[in-house]
Amino acid sequence: MLEIARSELILGGQRSGKSRRAEMLARQWMAQSPDHRAVLIATGQPWDEEMRERILRHQQDRAERVPGMTTVEEPLHLAQAIRQVSAPQTLVVVDCLTLWLTNLLMPVDATSNQPLAPDSRAQAAMLLIAIEAAPGPLVFVGNEIGLGVIPMGRETRDFVDALGRLNQEVAQACARVTFMAAGLPLTLKGGA
């Protein structure tokens, strides 16, 4: 049985096993004590039919794999959501940092189709404070997208750079960092 870290960042590519590892940690946490609970903070937004279907599939799969885990949807104000749900007996899973950053950097108001302008650096700073202050364990899921070629297009390069910075900052703040590939975990920091 893996010891639950005070905070863990799980990185990897798409379908690498990141969310399944987070769910396994949540199941394990809840099995340790009848007083333990787990909360998922979901950051994805259903902007199109494919994403709506993907979110529904994730919800159904999660309900089977981690019965009893509750979900809070928060696409923008992640630090505030962590402060609201974190407690000593509650493991909080954030899935995922990549979609959260996407929401901050590339948001569109659905009613006006006008881009919003949140301060992503300020939001990231508040997230780091929330990680440090959380009274219970935290598990973050995020994509590592900087392993390939340099993308074409300034906006895409800016996003890859911003995600790389965010991943580095959250990795520094977390007690454990795990890289997932082919469903297998590689501990990068805080082995146990």
Side-chain angles (χ1 to χ4, degrees):
M1 184 184 286
L2 183 65
E3 180 183 330
I4 304 292
R6 183 195 171 311
S7 52
E8 181 169 348
L9 171 61
I10 304 170
L11 293 171
Q14 284 187 250
R15 296 284 175 233
S16 62
K18 303 177 306 288
S19 293
R20 287 209 181 211
R21 178 179 172 86
E23 291 170 355
M24 183 265 309
L25 292 170
R27 271 193 322 273
Q28 183 177 316
W29 174 259
M30 290 190 299
Q32 288 176 0
S33 168
D35 296 332
H36 283 187
R37 50 186 292 261
V39 175
L40 171 83
I41 300 176
T43 62
Q45 296 184 82
W47 289 112
D48 59 35
E49 187 58 32
E50 187 277 333
M51 192 62 171
R52 277 188 284 281
E53 290 172 7
R54 180 179 288 260
I55 289 171
L56 180 60
R57 190 172 54 251
H58 279 278
Q59 290 169 339
Q60 292 168 343
D61 291 346
R62 197 170 37 252
E64 284 182 28
R65 289 191 297 258
V66 195
M69 182 156 86
T70 60
T71 300
V72 172
E73 295 183 17
E74 182 47 66
L76 294 172
H77 306 287
L78 186 52
Q80 179 181 341
I82 290 170
R83 285 192 303 273
Q84 288 175 345
V85 300
S86 183
Q89 300 299 317
T90 302
L91 180 135
V92 177
V93 175
V94 174
D95 198 350
C96 88
L97 290 176
T98 309
L99 287 175
W100 175 66
L101 186 64
T102 300
N103 297 335
L104 291 174
L105 293 178
M106 301 177 212
V108 174
D109 181 325
T111 58
S112 69
N113 238 9
Q114 294 298 311
L116 304 174
D119 184 350
S120 64
R121 294 303 300 151
Q123 292 290 325
M126 287 189 290
L127 173 61
L128 297 174
I129 293 167
I131 292 170
E132 182 65 30
L138 303 170
V139 177
F140 295 92
V141 174
N143 290 73
E144 175 52 71
I145 63 172
L147 297 173
V149 297
I150 297 173
M152 295 184 68
R154 182 182 60 81
E155 291 86 5
T156 306
R157 285 190 301 273
D158 288 348
F159 180 78
V160 171
D161 289 347
L163 183 58
R165 280 190 301 273
L166 177 64
N167 286 344
Q168 288 183 49
E169 291 168 351
V170 173
Q172 279 296 114
C174 285
R176 180 183 294 139
V177 179
T178 303
F179 184 78
M180 297 296 297
L184 301 173
L186 173 64
T187 302
L188 302 178
K189 176 184 174 183

